[in-house]
Amino acid sequence: MIRSELIQKIADENPHLYQRDVERIVNTIFEEITEAMANGNRVELRGFGAFSVKKRDARVGRNPRTGEAVQVEEKHVPFFKTGKLLRDRLNGKS
Amino acid sequence: MSEKTLTRMDLTESVFREVGLSRNDSAQLVETVLQYMSDALVRGEQVKISSFGTFSVREKAARMGRNPKTGKEVPINPRRVLTFRPSHLMKERVAEGNKR
């Protein structure tokens, strides 16, 4: 399923809404989640999962082609942990 | 970094402000989005949201595990796990936004 299919499905089942509003709603949700993480915040959606930001320490990496040591800066990466309900549903429970 | 946790309520509020719907309908739509994504994943489908990321389901084989407290071997059943791969755009925004 891709973004446009998700939007289409919601639009089909909510005929009282304009397609363009459904688009804005779906886009707003994903934008808010990304924006929260960009601000260093967590997003917790019970039953679905939680988005958080993890810190990766600075390290000395290596250029795999030349074997040369390179300094890699500290950085922050997005992380998702599946919620209990969804994890159970994936495995046929509940 | 003053860390805050956003919930469904915050997403509902954003949807409410973005579109002229009631708070109730906004909450319902947030729920619908999560529901449809979950349903697709439970069916084993990938959920690909451009410029956000991709959720995919992976099959894990059965293996022997160990109870770290007692050291006893316990069988771990085959199971399905969900992985999220953030898009380049999201990785960039998160890296950029958390730089100091």
Side-chain angles (χ1 to χ4, degrees), chain A residues 17 21-22 24-30 32, chain B residues 8-31 33:
Chain A
L17 297 176
D21 282 344
V22 175
R24 279 168 67 191
I25 290 162
V26 171
N27 294 345
T28 298
I29 292 172
F30 293 118
E32 280 299 308
Chain B
R8 280 175 168 76
M9 257 171 54
D10 298 285
L11 295 183
T12 297
E13 196 59 28
S14 306
V15 168
F16 169 74
R17 271 185 270 120
E18 184 70 25
V19 191
L21 294 173
S22 69
R23 277 202 171 78
N24 223 345
D25 287 352
S26 303
Q28 193 52 58
L29 279 155
V30 169
E31 211 48 54
V33 168

Side-chain angles (χ1 to χ4, degrees), chain A residues 27-61:
Chain A
N27 294 345
T28 298
I29 292 172
F30 293 118
E31 173 56 28
E32 280 299 308
I33 297 173
T34 307
E35 184 62 23
M37 281 192 285
N39 293 328
N41 295 327
R42 254 173 84 77
V43 182
E44 213 173 283
L45 303 167
R46 283 285 156 88
F48 183 78
F51 296 88
S52 58
V53 180
K54 288 206 167 177
K55 183 180 151 206
R56 297 275 178 260
D57 285 328
R59 63 188 169 88
V60 178

Side-chain angles (χ1 to χ4, degrees), chain B residues 49-100:
Chain B
I49 308 296
S50 56
S51 77
F52 184 80
T54 304
F55 297 88
S56 36
V57 180
R58 288 178 48 201
E59 307 275 343
K60 298 276 238 178
R63 64 182 171 90
M64 283 311 265
R66 207 176 271 282
N67 180 329
K69 205 170 281 178
T70 64
K72 222 170 80 182
E73 283 210 325
V74 280
I76 296 176
N77 292 331
R79 63 203 205 283
R80 294 203 299 172
V81 296
L82 178 57
T83 57
F84 173 67
R85 200 165 167 259
S87 71
H88 279 286
L89 190 77
M90 180 194 279
K91 280 202 225 169
E92 247 168 57
R93 284 183 61 185
V94 170
E96 212 40 54
N98 289 282
K99 233 177 221 173
R100 48 162 160 226

Side-chain angles (χ1 to χ4, degrees), chain A residues 56-63 69-75:
Chain A
R56 297 275 178 260
D57 285 328
R59 63 188 169 88
V60 178
R62 225 164 254 290
N63 180 329
V70 281
Q71 184 59 41
V72 181
E73 303 270 290
E74 162 193 309
K75 67 171 176 187

